[in-house]
């Protein structure tokens, strides 16, 4: 199955997800257009990371519809949830990049191998092709001198920039960031946010779960505020941060 609207990179419709008896996502619906940056904000336990994990196939939803890059990951058919087959799921995975809060680099691989491994073994690039892509991304991330280093020799900010380079290497249609600066101190946070801001200026489609409110206001096109497994409010980024409509949103933002 394929989605007819090529401008919509991500479509999430009425998804539900429970862990044991706790319903963490209670009918979430959102769309992300090509070239759009959407920031997802909200208190801990509000469902933000679970939303990302469901969109990136790390968790399976209990109900609803998810479409990525025009391919249907899951949908309701005759009242039952149906996921696509493994072959299509693999294709869908190749359409997005994912940057975790704790980097998730392979500690026993060099920086270069962390970036080129999937290019060579999943995307079937030749080693020279993969190395060329890697070199371009390391230059972009200001990490050219670190290609042969191992993650343990890098600062947290450098590790996160390697993670972003790895996510970009496969030329994805959309990148998901799950609290990309939460493990970093303020000085290192600035460097990572600068990289993401540059990607936004290049019109990279992104969904960013973040607690950096000023960054979300200045870089995102749109902000989605989640609490209690529902979307409480969403709207243009600057408007939502400076003039929220819902009392719950006002109370949350008052803490920043």
């Amino acid at each position: 199955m394929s989605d007819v609207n090529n401008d919509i990179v991500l479509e999430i419709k009425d998804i539900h997800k429970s862990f044991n008896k706790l319903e963490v996502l209670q009918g979430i619906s959102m769309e992300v257009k090509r070239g759009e940056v959407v920031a997802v904000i909200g208190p801990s336990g509000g469902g933000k990371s679970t939303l990302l994990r469901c969109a990136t196939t790390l968790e399976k939803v209990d109900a609803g519809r998810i479409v990525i890059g025009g391919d249907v990951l899951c949908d309701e058919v005759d009242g039952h949830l149906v996921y696509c087959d493994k072959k299509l799921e693999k294709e869908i995975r190749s359409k997005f990049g994912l940057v975790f809060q704790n980097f998730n680099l392979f500690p026993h691989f060099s920086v270069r191998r962390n970036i080129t491994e999937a290019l060579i073994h999943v995307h079937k690039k030749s080693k020279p092709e993969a190395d060329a892509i890697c070199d371009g991304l390391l230059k972009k991330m200001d990490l050219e001198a670190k290609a042969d280093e191992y993650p343990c020799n890098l600062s947290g900010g450098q590790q996160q920039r390697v993670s972003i380079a790895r996510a970009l290497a496969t030329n994805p249609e959309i990148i998901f960031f799950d609290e990309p600066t939460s493990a970093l101190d303020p000085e290192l946070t600035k460097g990572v946010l600068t990289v993401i801001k540059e990607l936004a200026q290049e019109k990279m489609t992104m969904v960013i779960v973040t607690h950096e409110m000023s960054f979300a206001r200045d870089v995102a096109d749109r902000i989605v505020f989640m609490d209690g497994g529902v979307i409480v409010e969403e709207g243009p980024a600057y408007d939502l941060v400076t003039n929220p409509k819902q009392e719950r949103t006002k109370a949350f933002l008052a803490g920043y």
Side-chain angles (χ1 to χ4, degrees), residues 73-204:
L73 174 66
C74 62
D75 202 355
E76 301 281 335
V77 179
D78 297 328
H80 298 283
L81 178 70
V82 177
Y83 264 82
C84 65
D85 60 37
K86 293 296 181 186
K87 183 169 182 275
L88 181 55
E89 186 174 320
K90 188 177 177 183
E91 286 178 30
I92 289 171
R93 282 203 189 109
S94 74
K95 294 188 175 194
F96 64 78
L98 178 57
V99 177
F100 300 89
Q101 55 185 324
N102 292 317
F103 324 134
N104 279 36
L105 297 173
F106 294 110
H108 56 297
F109 285 1
S110 66
V111 164
R112 179 177 299 282
R113 191 171 171 192
N114 263 287
I115 294 170
T116 59
E117 186 76 0
L119 287 173
I120 294 169
H121 296 289
V122 178
H123 296 269
K124 307 304 178 186
K125 301 279 188 189
S126 68
K127 190 173 186 307
E129 276 183 295
D131 282 339
I133 291 168
C134 176
D135 290 340
L137 287 167
L138 289 178
K139 185 175 182 181
K140 186 184 185 79
M141 299 293 151
D142 196 23
L143 292 170
E144 292 164 281
K146 304 295 184 182
D148 298 321
E149 297 280 2
Y150 286 83
C152 62
N153 296 323
L154 304 181
S155 71
Q158 289 170 332
Q159 289 186 61
Q160 193 59 295
R161 275 149 48 210
V162 173
S163 297
I164 295 171
R166 181 176 62 182
L168 288 168
T170 56
N171 195 27
E173 293 190 40
I174 183 170
I175 296 186
F176 297 92
F177 293 85
D178 187 7
E179 299 271 16
T181 60
S182 67
L184 306 178
D185 65 37
E187 190 175 346
L188 297 178
T189 290
K190 188 177 177 183
V192 171
L193 294 181
T194 297
V195 168
I196 299 173
K197 191 171 186 177
E198 288 168 358
L199 293 176
Q201 290 166 348
E202 295 167 11
K203 294 298 181 186
M204 181 76 217

Side-chain angles (χ1 to χ4, degrees), residues 38-88:
V38 176
V40 183
I41 66 170
S44 297
K48 307 183 302 297
S49 291
T50 301
L51 173 65
L52 245 61
R53 290 181 65 81
C54 290
T56 56
T57 74
L58 294 174
E59 298 281 357
K60 291 202 163 168
V61 298
D62 302 322
R65 170 180 166 91
I66 301 174
V67 184
I68 298 178
D71 288 324
V72 179
L73 174 66
C74 62
D75 202 355
E76 301 281 335
V77 179
D78 297 328
H80 298 283
L81 178 70
V82 177
Y83 264 82
C84 65
D85 60 37
K86 293 296 181 186
K87 183 169 182 275
L88 181 55

